[in-house]
Amino acid sequence: MKTTRLQNLSPGLWPGDIIRYLLSGGAIVILTLVVLASHQQAKSQTNPRFNGFDLVDNTGNIRKPSDYRDEYEALGTYTVLDPKGDQMHLTYASPRTAEYFRKTGKYPDGTVLVKEVFGTDHAQMTTGDAHWASGTKVWFVMIKDAKGRYPGNPLWGDGWGWALFKSDSPDKQVATDYKKDCLGCHIPAKSTDWVYVQGYPVLNSK
């Protein structure tokens, strides 16, 4: 291709003119690549491929994602010691949440958080008294709503949609008012957008 271009040039051009001619084409290619790369970077930061609002119906009711164990990323685990029965809280986030949060310090609009609350079991093992998650008790689901899409809906507010599912009916959303059913446990985490980020090390910068 370069040979054809050179043949089409006027024989009166100096070598410097030929170099500038070749570089002009190269500059266009480089500029195009730079623009495309910038576009992809901006797209990755502002428009994650996952849309949590696919889990929301027209009335604002939230459905629990069925594939969170396979498709979501693990944020972290809390162990809660309780005389009535210890618990383990495993929290998952929709794809690319952690990457976006590390860059911006925020959750992208449409982020889905799923906290699965387990009971525990334990036994003496070679490492000592080992405890592990055993039997799901409840699921808490939150969807980041940066635009206030559902004003007046008692399951939406303070920047999130809120939902609760119990193990005896895992597909039925049972929360009726997020301020009564959910928000009380999150008040100490108000300054971090209602999420206990200290238990999620993947949100920290590498």
Coordinates of all heavy atoms in Angstrom, one line a residue, residues 13 24 92 106 134 182 200:
L13 N 8.4 16.0 -5.6 CA 8.4 16.2 -4.1 C 9.7 15.8 -3.6 O 10.3 14.8 -4.0 CB 7.3 15.3 -3.5 CG 5.8 15.7 -3.8 CD1 4.8 14.7 -3.2 CD2 5.5 17.1 -3.3
S24 N 1.1 12.0 7.9 CA -0.2 12.5 8.0 C -1.2 11.4 8.1 O -2.2 11.5 8.9 CB -0.5 13.5 6.8 OG -0.5 12.7 5.6
Y92 N -22.5 -9.8 47.9 CA -22.1 -9.9 46.5 C -22.5 -8.6 45.8 O -23.5 -7.9 46.2 CB -22.8 -11.0 45.7 CG -22.6 -12.4 46.3 CD1 -23.4 -12.8 47.4 CD2 -21.7 -13.3 45.8 CE1 -23.2 -14.1 48.0 CE2 -21.5 -14.5 46.4 CZ -22.3 -14.9 47.4 OH -22.1 -16.2 48.0
K106 N -17.7 5.9 44.5 CA -19.1 5.8 44.5 C -19.6 4.5 43.8 O -18.8 3.8 43.1 CB -19.7 7.0 43.6 CG -19.4 8.3 44.2 CD -19.9 9.4 43.3 CE -19.6 10.8 43.8 NZ -20.2 11.9 42.9
S134 N -23.8 -22.1 56.9 CA -24.6 -23.3 56.7 C -26.1 -22.9 56.8 O -26.6 -22.6 57.8 CB -24.3 -24.3 57.9 OG -25.2 -25.4 57.8
C182 N -35.5 -1.8 57.0 CA -34.1 -1.9 56.5 C -33.2 -0.8 57.1 O -32.1 -1.1 57.5 CB -34.1 -1.9 55.0 SG -35.2 -3.0 54.1
Y200 N -15.4 -4.8 53.3 CA -15.3 -5.1 51.9 C -14.0 -4.6 51.3 O -13.9 -3.6 50.7 CB -16.4 -4.5 51.1 CG -17.8 -4.9 51.6 CD1 -18.8 -3.9 51.7 CD2 -18.1 -6.1 52.1 CE1 -20.1 -4.3 52.2 CE2 -19.3 -6.5 52.6 CZ -20.3 -5.5 52.7 OH -21.6 -5.9 53.2

